[in-house]
Amino acid sequence: REDAEYRRKNARWLRYSAMISIQVRDRMAQIGMTQAVLAEKLGCTQQHVSMLLKGKNNMTIETIAKLEEALEFDIIGNALYLSDSEHPPYGDKK
């Protein structure tokens, strides 16, 4: 019950975290990067990268920027509204 309540209260950022995680995993597969290599580029442990890739962490802008740099990929521009039909990209009208 507590877990369900947590997910309900945090649904918005959890959705963003999951979308970012999917983008990161897809990019890693595209360029053939392992979690260990990403961890080295980020200056953290492979376990921390694994945790980030689960899509359940409230990532900071700093972490997202480091991921973008390590992956040479624009996560923010690609991820935030990809599957959020309730909120179209800025400037677009429904």
Side-chain angles (χ1 to χ4, degrees):
R1 183 178 179 112
E2 286 179 28
D3 190 46
E5 182 65 19
Y6 174 83
R7 286 192 315 271
R8 186 189 66 73
K9 285 183 177 180
N10 298 289
R12 189 169 190 91
W13 74 257
L14 284 167
R15 183 173 61 245
Y16 289 151
S17 182
M19 290 187 323
I20 290 168
S21 174
I22 289 166
Q23 290 277 323
V24 169
R25 284 184 273 140
D26 287 350
R27 178 63 177 166
M28 288 173 66
Q30 181 182 43
I31 62 175
M33 184 180 287
T34 64
Q35 288 185 17
V37 171
L38 182 56
E40 185 177 320
K41 287 180 171 272
L42 295 176
C44 66
T45 65
Q46 184 273 328
Q47 290 80 7
H48 183 70
V49 168
S50 177
M51 189 174 68
L52 291 173
L53 295 179
K54 290 180 181 178
K56 297 180 181 180
N57 291 332
N58 191 355
M59 294 183 224
T60 65
I61 296 296
E62 180 182 10
T63 298
I64 295 167
K66 285 179 180 180
L67 286 166
E68 287 181 326
E69 187 174 323
L71 296 168
E72 298 178 3
F73 184 67
D74 183 10
I75 295 167
I76 296 289
N78 291 321
L80 290 181
Y81 294 100
L82 284 179
S83 65
D84 191 356
S85 61
E86 293 178 29
H87 303 281
Y90 295 111
D92 286 359
K93 304 275 188 220
K94 267 191 148 180

